[in-house]
Amino acid sequence: MSNDLKLALVVSDSIKAQEGAGPLRDAHDWVPAGEAEALVVLGGDGFMLHVLHEMLDKNWIRPCYGINLGTVGFLMNKNSHKRTIAERIGRARKIGVRPLEMRAVTQDDDEFSFYAINEVSLLRETRQTAKLEVKINGKVRMAELAGDGVLVSTPAGSTAYNLSANGPILPLGCNMLALTPISPFRPRRWKGAILPDSAEVEFRVREPGKRPVSVVADQKEIRDVRDVRISTARDKELTLLFDPGASLEERIFAEQFQA
């Protein structure tokens, strides 16, 4: 990537990010986001997801180089001053991330559509167990999944909620999705499935009045859903930039060998 790339600086409102932005503001000739060829994002993973979602919503997609001034920083690079920001981006490796498109219909027949970079989760709203019919490419694969819920995860999101729910870690570029139950009651021994990212996954809520279910696409929630359809948004591929040797792919490998 060229060192004379037009860059925009996007900073989280957190105190840590605002203070960390000080040295960077005078270290480069920044341009407005609308004129930029790439964005430098200062903050944590949550803020990076916020920026990526804003780009998806506006259909204005640019490569993003994150600098971790948050907590975990799984999607970010280390905050280092050994090289200039232009040099770091010039050496950065590109990683493509395909989001999911979630389309939901509520019990009142309202329709919603959101994107998810990590995962789409269906969750019970009350103490009543959720009961879901699971379809893959239009074919019923499970007539009734009973439990706290279920999620569909991208490879980029497979180390987040999916991993906490005992789902598999997916390598980047594998073109697969993880379908993972959340505290399943029936079938009790079902551990989920790995699906090609060309698959369309559908859920129908059984007894929605008695057993209400919400759906969450990353941070956006719709309550009292009746039907949910999930597919990969191939035309909305995002690009994250990582320092050599510290890519998202390497972090996913590392997660699989932690004691």
Side-chain angles (χ1 to χ4, degrees):
M1 185 168 289
S2 172
N3 284 348
D4 59 359
L5 205 65
K6 293 181 180 179
L7 303 177
L9 184 64
V10 184
V11 185
S12 165
D13 290 334
S14 73
I15 295 175
K16 185 176 180 181
Q18 289 292 324
E19 290 177 348
L24 270 178
R25 293 192 193 278
D26 298 326
H28 188 82
D29 293 328
W30 304 101
V31 301
E35 301 174 13
E37 297 172 82
L39 304 184
V40 176
V41 181
L42 271 62
D45 287 338
F47 185 63
M48 174 62 85
L49 286 174
H50 169 75
V51 171
L52 294 174
H53 275 289
E54 277 203 332
M55 289 196 298
L56 286 171
D57 292 342
K58 296 175 181 177
N59 197 28
W60 183 84
I61 297 173
R62 298 291 186 275
C64 287
Y65 179 91
I67 296 178
N68 186 27
L69 289 170
T71 307
V72 179
F74 198 79
L75 301 174
M76 317 298 276
N77 296 281
K78 290 182 179 179
N79 184 23
S80 171
H81 303 289
K82 292 182 179 179
R83 297 178 184 271
T84 68
I85 189 62
E87 289 172 334
R88 293 182 72 178
I89 291 179
R91 300 174 71 248
R93 180 183 176 191
K94 295 181 180 180
I95 296 291
V97 176
R98 292 176 177 172
L100 300 172
E101 182 178 7
M102 181 279 296
R103 288 160 285 174
V105 180
T106 69
Q107 296 178 38
D108 295 328
D109 293 325
D110 294 324
E111 299 183 11
F112 296 88
S113 178
F114 293 119
Y115 294 105
I117 296 159
N118 279 350
E119 75 280 316
V120 174
S121 310
L122 280 78
L123 305 164
R124 64 185 175 96
E125 295 180 10
T126 68
R127 292 190 295 176
Q128 290 279 4
T129 298
K131 291 187 176 181
L132 305 167
E133 177 189 79
V134 183
K135 282 185 181 181
I136 310 295
N137 294 332
K139 182 176 181 178
V140 175
R141 292 293 181 178
M142 189 170 291
E144 184 175 286
L145 169 63
D148 284 356
V150 67
L151 64 84
V152 177
S153 171
T154 67
S158 66
T159 57
Y161 190 9
N162 172 70
L163 182 59
S164 298
N166 297 314
I169 295 177
L170 302 176
L172 288 175
C174 69
N175 299 323
M176 306 297 282
L177 302 173
L179 174 62
T180 303
I182 302 170
S183 301
F185 180 68
R186 290 285 187 273
R188 191 180 298 274
R189 298 184 185 278
W190 188 60
K191 301 299 184 182
I194 296 176
L195 309 173
D197 68 1
S198 60
E200 183 174 76
V201 185
E202 297 177 71
F203 300 103
R204 181 174 66 86
V205 179
R206 300 173 64 91
E207 304 177 62
K210 179 181 178 182
R211 303 172 185 275
V213 169
S214 66
V215 63
V216 182
D218 283 350
Q219 300 147 339
K220 296 179 180 178
E221 180 182 22
I222 305 297
R223 296 181 68 83
D224 301 331
V225 296
R226 186 184 69 219
D227 298 285
V228 175
R229 183 175 298 180
I230 301 165
S231 59
T232 299
R234 295 177 178 276
D235 60 333
K236 301 289 186 181
E237 183 168 283
L238 301 160
T239 300
L240 297 178
L241 304 174
F242 289 94
D243 293 331
S247 71
L248 183 56
E249 185 177 64
E250 174 60 31
R251 296 173 197 196
I252 288 176
F253 278 132
E255 285 285 342
Q256 298 177 77
F257 294 93
Q258 288 190 359

